[in-house]
Amino acid sequence: QSYLPTKRKPSLLHFGILEREKRGLFLSPILLLLSLSLLLLLFLHQDIYLFIPSVNRLSATSLSNYVIAVRLFYEMNNIPFNWKRISRGIPKARSIANDRAPTIEEIQKIVEYSDRRIKSIVYVMCSSGIRVGAWEWLKWKHVIPMPNGDGIAKLIVYAGESEEYFSFISPEAYNELKAYMDFRASYGEKITGESWLMRDLFRTSSVTRNQRFGLAKYPRKITEEGITKLLSRAIDEENIRGPLKEGQRRYEWKTSHGLRKFFCTRAEQVMKPLNVQILMGHNIGLIGSYLKPTEQDLLEDYKKAVNLLTINYDNNSELQEQVTELTQKSQEQTYVIQGRLAEKDKELQEL
């Protein structure tokens, strides 16, 4: 199904090969690759150097991705082809996307959306930096509260896969996840370590209009596409980004990947940059063979960024307690200083 055309990704529809009425037509991977192969042959015969720039609906990056898929198909089937000529005709792509991370105010508006799941999703992604695709692996057993972690929890990402790594989530994110799991349990779902961290909607009443929702006792895992659509609906209904201007093709910040950029941007203000990259699951190159921070090292460094990764301070009781404690200590220190100054003044007067 990953080969199916979608509304958000360029597809054969952009080239006019399929009519828009046939948007729901199923294409097998082999048929799709053969169609793309035919498309490239058409490019070749119609002077690729002049034809490709006229395809203004596709970015250079998207076009390159199509070529990579077709080239792999040819290589796996031992089909000879002059790929140098194809590669030279493809426009040069941007090396870095021209976008930004969402602001904390924009994220605060996202979590005002009515769907109960939105806070858990946003808080976890903003405080851990995981990719949206990671949700398809996450189960309740992958969230592990850290001893002496001040409410921070460890998150195991892509468990059981070769890309497995771990990150952390803020106390705010853990508390919201725990509340969401308790909410599901209150409606009859049996919560175990194998329970999916994010699931489909379920009926919370017996009203007829809610019959389209599933039952709490029979959870279904929400997919990567479902998470992305949920975030898109929240952003659209809260009118955070507004419509695209004429001639504009992309928003200022990406729907799901923008939350990952938020984590990186905020965390690197106080954490070691390499530690941030490790918590994001990035390959740090040769230095990774020598730099081996322990879990405790990463946790202590992560604690420095918790305040910057907390979205709603008003809803974080633990953070409020910390602020109150620091305020009291500051007042005590002020009283001590004032007392010492008064003693000095008294000594000077006696002299």
Side-chain angles (χ1 to χ4, degrees):
Q1 292 182 353
S2 61
Y3 292 94
L4 287 175
T6 65
K7 293 181 180 179
R8 296 189 176 276
K9 296 179 180 178
S11 67
L12 294 176
L13 298 170
H14 294 92
F15 295 100
I17 291 179
L18 297 179
E19 297 178 0
R20 293 187 180 275
E21 299 88 353
K22 298 178 182 178
R23 191 176 288 272
L25 180 64
F26 177 82
L27 289 176
S28 69
I30 298 298
L31 178 58
L32 181 59
L33 288 171
L34 287 174
S35 301
L36 289 171
S37 301
L38 177 61
L39 182 63
L40 283 174
L41 289 173
L42 288 174
F43 282 172
L44 190 62
H45 286 295
Q46 295 186 30
D47 193 357
I48 190 169
Y49 304 101
L50 298 176
F51 189 78
I52 286 183
S54 67
V55 186
N56 53 16
R57 295 188 182 183
L58 280 182
S59 67
T61 304
S62 298
L63 193 57
S64 297
N65 289 337
Y66 283 129
V67 172
I68 291 171
V70 178
R71 182 171 183 173
L72 177 61
F73 173 76
Y74 271 60
E75 290 175 351
M76 294 300 294
N77 289 276
N78 295 321
I79 303 174
F81 197 76
N82 187 359
W83 290 104
K84 289 184 178 180
R85 187 175 181 189
I86 295 291
S87 301
R88 288 173 181 171
I90 297 176
K92 189 175 181 180
R94 285 176 176 264
S95 58
I96 301 176
N98 186 21
D99 62 345
R100 62 173 177 85
T103 64
I104 195 166
E105 290 78 17
E106 289 169 331
I107 296 175
Q108 286 171 347
K109 290 182 181 178
I110 294 176
V111 298
E112 292 176 2
Y113 184 57
S114 57
D115 194 312
R116 188 184 181 94
R117 300 170 294 179
I118 196 70
K119 284 187 177 180
S120 298
I121 293 171
V122 172
Y123 290 167
V124 168
M125 293 185 71
C126 285
S127 64
S128 65
I130 62 171
R131 299 175 178 87
V132 65
W135 285 102
E136 299 210 24
W137 278 265
L138 290 176
K139 297 180 179 180
W140 185 229
K141 66 181 180 181
H142 299 144
V143 181
I144 308 168
M146 297 296 294
N148 302 320
D150 300 330
I152 295 170
K154 177 182 175 181
L155 186 68
I156 302 176
V157 189
Y158 302 128
E161 301 295 319
S162 58
E163 297 86 3
E164 179 181 331
Y165 70 97
F166 73 87
S167 186
F168 298 109
I169 59 175
S170 65
E172 177 185 50
Y174 176 74
N175 292 335
E176 189 61 37
L177 275 177
K178 183 67 169 61
Y180 176 58
M181 301 304 281
D182 291 341
F183 171 76
R184 288 160 55 176
S186 68
Y187 279 93
E189 181 181 348
K190 185 178 179 181
I191 301 297
T192 67
E194 295 297 323
S195 299
W196 294 111
L197 209 53
M198 202 54 53
R199 58 158 294 171
D200 61 329
L201 288 173
F202 57 88
R203 291 202 300 269
T204 57
S205 66
S206 58
V207 181
T208 305
R209 68 173 181 273
N210 285 336
Q211 295 299 315
R212 67 181 183 276
F213 296 142
L215 296 173
K217 294 182 179 179
Y218 305 101
R220 291 188 302 172
K221 175 184 67 175
I222 188 170
T223 63
E224 173 185 350
E225 183 181 6
I227 297 284
T228 303
K229 286 184 176 180
L230 177 56
L231 289 170
S232 296
R233 285 199 303 270
I235 292 170
D236 292 342
E237 293 199 19
E238 297 299 326
N239 195 26
I240 297 171
R241 292 187 301 200
L244 288 172
K245 298 178 182 178
E246 185 177 355
Q248 188 178 2
R249 297 176 57 191
R250 292 182 176 85
Y251 290 104
E252 288 184 273
W253 48 275
K254 293 179 172 62
T255 301
S256 57
H257 202 63
L259 303 181
R260 184 168 163 86
K261 294 189 177 185
F262 172 85
F263 169 80
C264 183
T265 303
R266 305 277 285 190
E268 287 204 2
Q269 295 178 24
V270 291
M271 291 178 62
K272 296 177 181 178
L274 280 176
N275 285 349
V276 175
Q277 300 306 311
I278 291 172
L279 292 180
M280 294 181 71
H282 283 163
N283 183 355
I284 59 175
L286 182 62
I287 191 64
S289 300
Y290 300 93
L291 180 67
K292 301 291 183 181
T294 64
E295 182 178 296
Q296 189 62 34
D297 292 336
L298 293 172
L299 176 61
E300 293 301 321
D301 204 16
Y302 180 83
K303 286 181 181 179
K304 302 174 186 177
V306 167
N307 289 356
L308 292 173
L309 300 175
T310 300
I311 306 304
N312 285 316
Y313 292 94
D314 295 338
N315 297 332
N316 195 328
S317 58
E318 292 186 5
L319 187 60
Q320 286 182 330
E321 291 176 2
Q322 292 175 11
V323 172
T324 303
E325 183 180 352
L326 289 173
T327 303
Q328 291 175 350
K329 288 182 179 179
S330 178
Q331 290 176 347
E332 291 174 0
Q333 291 175 353
T334 302
Y335 293 147
V336 171
I337 293 172
Q338 289 176 348
R340 290 179 178 176
L341 289 174
E343 291 176 0
K344 290 291 183 180
D345 290 341
K346 187 176 179 180
E347 290 176 359
L348 290 173
Q349 289 176 1
E350 290 178 355
L351 293 174

